[in-house]
Amino acid sequence: MLKGFKNFLMRGDLITIAVGLVIALAFSTLIKAFTDFVINPIVSRFQGGTSPGLGWQLGDEGNKATYLDLGQFISALIYFVIFMAVIYFLIVVPYRHFQARRGVRAFAEPGPLKTCPACLSEDLPAAASKCLHCATEQPPTEGAVRR
């Protein structure tokens, strides 16, 4: 039983995912600090005065629960864009390159699709001879490669 658990933990895919998640968490912390201590003060500066941030007070003055803080939303949006760019360029692109060297297409664009004339499902591969959903015979598509 422990041998099977060890084999499960030592699978290459699981290790790759675990390393990717740890790296993503580290970058998340770094980018969060950047948005909190660099972006937020810049956005808040545009409000001016003694306002708590870029936004509007919807209720009683000084009540943080009714303050519509657009500055925090802009900061979160910038955080998200930076975080996704870091993940893409530092994890996805190298992983795709590594998998291509192994002969595996990771994060590849799906092939051409066609629509079934019987049930109108739109997710059939262009080379399919039968529909996945209703099992009707499909007319051959020009340019489709048959194997």
Side-chain angles (χ1 to χ4, degrees):
M1 183 164 92
L2 289 178
K3 184 178 179 182
F5 183 66
K6 177 186 170 198
N7 290 340
F8 170 73
L9 288 178
M10 298 310 290
R11 286 183 33 206
D13 295 346
L14 190 63
I15 300 298
T16 303
I17 291 169
V19 169
L21 287 174
V22 169
I23 292 171
L25 180 62
F27 278 120
S28 173
T29 304
L30 180 67
I31 295 167
K32 179 78 171 130
F34 175 74
T35 54
D36 285 347
F37 300 115
V38 176
I39 301 297
N40 283 353
I42 293 171
V43 171
S44 294
R45 178 66 181 115
F46 286 111
Q47 180 70 26
T50 59
S51 176
L54 182 62
W56 298 276
Q57 184 69 48
L58 300 177
D60 296 331
E61 190 67 32
N63 185 359
K64 290 184 179 183
T66 59
Y67 185 74
L68 182 63
D69 196 353
L70 292 179
Q72 289 296 328
F73 176 74
I74 292 169
S75 176
L77 188 62
I78 292 170
Y79 169 83
F80 176 77
V81 169
I82 292 172
F83 184 73
M84 288 295 116
V86 166
I87 294 300
Y88 179 75
F89 289 112
L90 295 181
I91 294 177
V92 172
V93 171
Y95 180 74
R96 189 181 333 173
H97 179 69
F98 173 73
Q99 289 295 73
R101 293 174 87 195
R102 294 178 55 206
V104 178
R105 294 181 63 198
F107 305 111
E109 291 292 324
L113 300 176
K114 66 180 178 181
T115 303
C116 175
C119 69
L120 301 177
S121 59
E122 299 176 342
D123 59 345
L124 298 178
S129 60
K130 282 192 172 185
C131 178
L132 299 169
H133 306 285
C134 65
T136 58
E137 293 290 328
Q138 297 296 307
T141 307
E142 288 185 33
V145 177
R146 296 273 176 172
R147 294 184 184 178

